[in-house]
Amino acid sequence: MTRREPRVGLDLDEVIADRATGIVVCCGAGGVGKTTTAAALGLRAAEQGRTVVVLTIDPARRLAQSLGLEALDNTPRTVKGIDEVNGGSLDAMMLDMKQTFDEVVIAHSTPERAQAILDNPFYQSLSSSFSGTQEYMAMEKLGQLRAEDRWDLIIVDTPPSRSALDFLDAPKRLGSFLDGRFIRVLMGSAKTGGRAYLKVLGAGLGTMTAVLTRVLGAQVLKDLQAFIAALDTMFGGFRERADSTFQLLQARGTKFVVVAAPERDALREASYFVERLREERMPLAGLVLNRVHVTGAASLSAARAAAGAETLEEARKHPLATAILRLHAERMRMIEREQSLRRRFTAAHPRVAVVDVAAQPGDIHDLDGLRVVGAALAGR
Amino acid sequence: MVSPESDWEGVRLHVVTGKGGTGKTTVAAALALALAGEGRRTLLVEVENRQGIAQLFDAPPLPYEERKVAVGPAGGDVHALAVDPEEALLEYLDMFYRLGRAGRALRKIGAIDFATTIAPGMRDVLLTGKVYEAVRRTSRGRPVYDAVVLDAPPTGRIIRFLEVNAEVAGLARVGPIRGHADSIMALLRSPQTAVHLVSLLEEMPVQETVDALVGLVGARLPVGGIVVNAVRAPLLRQADLTAAARGGLDREAVAAGIAAAGVGVRPAAVDALIAEVAEHAERVALEKSERRTLKALGRPTYELPLLAEGVDLGGLYRLAEQLCRQGMA
């Protein structure tokens, strides 16, 4: 006896039509089509009447061009060519991580201190190359866009991280670092608690500084201390912002859309993310499964198609039909594998709504292409 | 087994990068297998905390320890290592400074966590440092590993990752860190290193490959070969593809052929099959133009077939054999 598995469908039209939805975060492993998903969803929402801004992190060139974005300039620009009949609009922007960080520093510091920070080699390295900075700045920018209050829906693409979870962890990590004991040690005994703590450890402050000097070299330690001294005044501001952004992600108007492709690694990342969102009580809308292969001839199985191709080959007839059957057999095997991965995910997460987006033969370069993806996202 | 001379004779460190989703880890693993010729030993290193290697080789998660994971098709050994930045830092401190207890104290106050997660680039310094150590390690006067294959970060971050030691050298003008960073950079810029790019015959991965290549050259990092992954075998003749793309396949002839195959499908299914061919033809045409773009880069190029069932251990050996045959190993 076969029992049909219950399938929970994801209706993204419902998500974007709900005026209470103020933020949609698209997350997932790299290379699964997050940015395209974010852009397509933004366009669809705008054409249905929402005032939308899409924050992209690192879009492919032609996708960016299709949104009218030529350079990453940190400013939302109006996307031309959308259907405005329902009164909506679409803005898009690309994140400039360093500029965003600089602005945070300037906003939270006196001009002299800000300059000292901007000039410090540690800051320059942190702001342009630290692997968590992009995540942190994406969150910062999200907070800024929200504060501007010009849009009723913000759609965020997430950075191509080592792991999808970095996006949630990086801001917190920065926050905990800024509060950390290590900072106090570096800053010397000026802060109460540092010395007492080290006594407990049985290593005097002098020893610790000596060790750090040995490891880092005196010059590095000096630059680092100067950097931290300059940042010191901003700690409160940083922490507050990291906390409030995190709360924003837990708020009712926020929805997470986890994006994956029907591949083992991408779905494993998606699983981690789904579990993590539950732990953090962050509202998950569902899973977008991109690049799913489909067929109009599902009744012809891979095995039968392959057997048919063999029959024709043996008879040395109909080479075209033979090739077509082989092609179909290949596609069916691919579909079987994808479906088995999909079943594995839904078995582990039966309550996560899923929507499939069929694989497109080519890439998306224009608004029409995005509209096709948008319709697929809405299950249309 | 007679194998042609490898294109990368003299390379000890193979860095494998590519856009996310192109199959970097698979290609790196296949290359490590392919390089493990008779009496040789290779090390496959991952640095992204994904445990992708363990999954590919059907092994339990790798600890921070070099372990033998497979025997190459020609009888050599493949070892694997998942680098953990914190452990790498403690090891580094112990090796260079004999810190012992003080090292543990650093961990307790959060210095280790600081260094591996917050300090600019430190994580990448440690990861590249560990790779450097594995390449340079010797036992009884000869290298422990004949080749080290690094499953590196994706193209978007690869240059930053490989250049991190140059940046450290800029921060630390003197001192022990400076010296270490300089030696790592020297290895990475030497002919003993090759940075291979994995691509698919799709627009975005090809674009990233082109961009990464330009970036690598600009950063004076040694560009290796291009590995085109997941290539489908051509099933249709060019004339049929052209006809299919135009929607001009002879429906009657196809229907008659399929009827002769005895698979018993309804007429509607024939149309669905023809639609699949048209989609395939569109894809093949796109692939052709992407292949031209890659060829124009003028680098040695290798092609690996798409494994429709997904990559398992058997599939890895097939890919490794392809790499040997095409001269990458």
Side-chain angles (χ1 to χ4, degrees):
Chain A
M1 196 176 88
T2 59
R3 205 182 58 189
R4 237 185 117 77
E5 297 163 47
R7 276 196 172 183
V8 197
L10 170 61
D11 189 346
L12 282 170
D13 265 355
E14 208 171 274
V15 173
I16 57 181
D18 183 355
R19 293 274 159 176
T21 306
I23 295 171
V24 173
V25 184
C26 297
C27 48
V32 296
K34 267 188 310 233
T35 311
T36 308
T37 302
L41 204 56
L43 177 61
R44 191 168 178 87
E47 295 193 333
Q48 290 179 3
R50 307 273 325 243
T51 309
V52 186
V53 63
V54 176
L55 168 57
T56 66
I57 306 297
D58 192 13
R61 195 169 307 161
R62 290 182 71 175
L63 177 64
Q65 282 166 356
S66 75
L67 295 171
L69 297 171
E70 295 297 333
L72 86 185
D73 62 356
N74 237 6
T75 318
R77 309 256 173 216
T78 304
V79 178
K80 296 190 183 78
I82 81 155
D83 178 1
E84 290 167 340
V85 74
N86 290 318
S89 68
L90 178 64
D91 290 350
M93 66 165 288
M94 277 193 264
L95 179 74
D96 181 336
M97 150 175 105
K98 175 139 183 31
Q99 195 189 327
T100 307
F101 209 153
D102 290 356
E103 285 165 10
V104 172
V105 169
I106 291 163
H108 286 84
S109 206
T110 61
E112 304 86 70
R113 272 189 182 277
Q115 201 53 51
I117 295 172
L118 298 183
D119 290 342
N120 186 287
F122 272 88
Y123 171 76
Q124 286 166 3
S125 171
L126 180 73
S127 62
S128 58
S129 63
F130 169 55
S131 61
T133 305
Q134 207 173 30
E135 285 83 356
Y136 182 63
M137 288 307 131
M139 286 295 86
E140 172 65 31
K141 200 74 207 173
L142 170 61
Q144 290 177 10
L145 291 174
R146 170 72 167 212
E148 268 192 61
D149 207 19
R150 276 167 59 197
W151 302 275
D152 64 26
L153 178 61
I154 303 171
I155 298 188
V156 200
D157 172 26
T158 53
S161 309
R162 187 178 309 117
S163 132
L165 300 177
D166 272 8
F167 164 71
L168 286 179
D169 292 334
K172 265 195 172 170
R173 217 193 278 148
L174 200 59
S176 73
F177 151 64
L178 297 173
D179 260 346
R181 298 168 197 142
F182 182 57
I183 295 291
R184 285 182 240 154
V185 174
L186 274 181
M187 295 312 294
S189 55
K191 301 206 168 190
T192 49
R195 186 183 289 275
Y197 185 76
L198 286 172
K199 282 223 177 92
V200 175
L201 277 179
L205 187 63
T207 318
M208 197 56 71
T209 311
V211 165
L212 289 168
T213 310
R214 239 172 95 203
V215 174
L216 298 170
Q219 179 64 48
V220 176
L221 193 60
K222 231 180 93 200
D223 280 345
L224 185 56
Q225 281 172 329
F227 170 54
I228 289 172
L231 266 185
D232 196 29
T233 47
M234 305 173 45
F235 281 6
F238 261 128
R239 201 171 46 243
E240 245 167 59
R241 288 175 91 86
D243 287 349
S244 71
T245 310
F246 209 74
Q247 281 163 15
L248 193 59
L249 294 178
Q250 289 171 319
R252 275 196 56 216
T254 300
K255 293 274 184 274
F256 279 82
V257 172
V258 178
V259 185
E263 282 148 23
R264 198 172 41 187
D265 292 353
L267 277 169
R268 191 172 57 233
E269 285 284 308
S271 273
Y272 288 151
F273 210 92
V274 163
E275 281 155 25
R276 184 62 195 281
L277 288 174
R278 188 172 333 151
E279 277 166 29
E280 303 281 357
R281 297 187 195 180
M282 291 185 172
L284 172 69
L287 176 80
V288 169
L289 200 54
N290 261 331
R291 299 190 197 138
V292 175
H293 286 85
V294 292
T295 177
S299 60
L300 181 54
S301 71
R304 258 194 318 134
E310 253 168 56
T311 308
L312 292 181
E313 242 158 33
E314 277 165 18
R316 292 171 189 280
K317 276 182 187 158
H318 302 291
L320 175 57
T322 310
I324 291 177
L325 286 170
R326 289 233 179 272
L327 198 63
H328 181 69
E330 210 174 79
R331 179 182 285 246
M332 288 303 288
R333 275 203 298 273
M334 179 92 73
I335 292 173
E336 277 158 25
R337 181 168 67 91
E338 290 178 357
Q339 289 304 314
S340 108
L341 287 168
R342 189 190 199 279
R343 274 193 301 273
R344 223 157 74 180
F345 179 88
T346 48
H349 308 282
R351 270 182 289 188
V352 175
V354 183
V355 64
D356 290 350
V357 177
Q360 313 282 326
D363 284 344
I364 310 290
H365 317 119
D366 51 25
L367 294 183
D368 281 337
L370 286 177
R371 284 188 187 104
V372 171
V373 176
L377 283 171
R380 306 292 188 273
Chain B
M1 193 170 98
V2 186
S3 77
E5 183 96 331
S6 158
D7 297 344
W8 307 103
E9 222 46 72
V11 170
R12 304 267 329 282
L13 173 59
H14 296 265
V15 179
V16 179
T17 181
K19 179 174 159 50
T22 54
K24 272 183 306 110
T25 305
T26 305
V27 172
L31 182 58
L33 271 178
L35 290 165
E38 200 184 339
R40 287 168 63 93
R41 185 187 285 166
T42 60
L43 178 68
L44 174 61
V45 183
E46 77 180 335
V47 293
E48 301 252 285
N49 263 337
R50 282 181 193 277
Q51 289 292 343
I53 296 177
Q55 305 252 354
L56 270 177
F57 285 96
D58 257 339
L62 295 168
Y64 181 54
E65 189 185 288
E66 288 155 39
R67 289 221 168 147
K68 183 169 154 182
V69 288
V71 174
D77 287 344
V78 178
H79 293 240
L81 170 70
V83 186
D84 176 74
E86 289 207 6
E87 293 298 330
L89 179 54
L90 287 172
E91 185 187 85
Y92 171 90
L93 291 176
D94 209 47
M95 198 183 310
F96 287 87
Y97 305 97
R98 305 190 190 289
L99 281 188
R101 200 167 140 206
R104 287 196 296 278
L106 283 175
R107 173 176 253 174
K108 279 197 181 160
I109 60 165
I112 300 295
D113 183 43
F114 167 87
T116 54
T117 60
I118 304 289
M122 185 58 107
R123 188 184 184 94
D124 292 349
V125 168
L126 289 163
L127 298 173
T128 50
K130 182 64 197 175
V131 171
Y132 170 83
E133 186 271 325
V135 173
R136 284 276 173 267
R137 198 186 313 151
T138 54
S139 163
R140 294 195 204 107
R142 71 176 293 261
V144 171
Y145 294 107
D146 297 287
V148 173
V149 180
L150 172 62
D151 176 15
T155 34
R157 291 192 287 118
I158 188 65
I159 293 169
R160 224 193 263 163
F161 176 78
L162 295 174
E163 276 213 301
V164 70
N165 289 285
E167 201 173 315
V168 167
L171 284 177
R173 283 171 280 268
V174 286
I177 289 192
R178 173 65 190 256
H180 190 59
D182 282 346
S183 353
I184 297 174
M185 241 17 255
L187 169 69
L188 292 176
R189 292 217 160 104
S190 79
Q192 287 191 28
T193 299
V195 184
H196 306 295
L197 296 157
V198 182
S199 188
L200 300 174
L201 290 175
E202 287 170 19
E203 195 181 317
M204 283 204 273
V206 168
Q207 187 58 52
E208 281 209 13
T209 302
V210 174
D211 292 348
L213 193 128
V214 171
L216 287 168
V217 171
R220 292 189 292 123
L221 289 160
V223 182
I226 294 172
V227 182
V228 186
N229 195 17
V231 176
R232 291 162 202 246
L235 285 169
L236 271 77
R237 290 175 309 190
Q238 187 52 49
D240 291 334
L241 285 173
T242 315
R246 282 200 322 260
L249 279 186
D250 183 346
R251 190 189 178 283
E252 292 316 307
V254 172
I258 286 168
V263 291
V265 296
R266 287 190 300 271
V270 173
D271 291 322
L273 291 176
I274 287 178
E276 283 176 9
V277 178
E279 201 186 295
H280 174 73
E282 188 183 343
R283 208 188 127 96
V284 170
L286 284 169
E287 287 181 351
K288 221 172 168 180
S289 93
E290 298 306 334
R291 189 180 266 124
R292 265 201 303 275
T293 309
L294 289 177
K295 276 254 161 67
L297 296 173
R299 302 300 311 167
T301 302
Y302 313 94
E303 294 207 352
L304 293 177
L306 173 75
L307 303 177
E309 305 77 20
V311 182
D312 57 9
L313 199 50
L316 268 189
Y317 279 98
R318 268 179 64 195
L319 300 180
E321 201 184 67
Q322 280 295 326
L323 292 177
C324 285
R325 198 175 299 161
Q326 296 177 35
M328 191 176 188

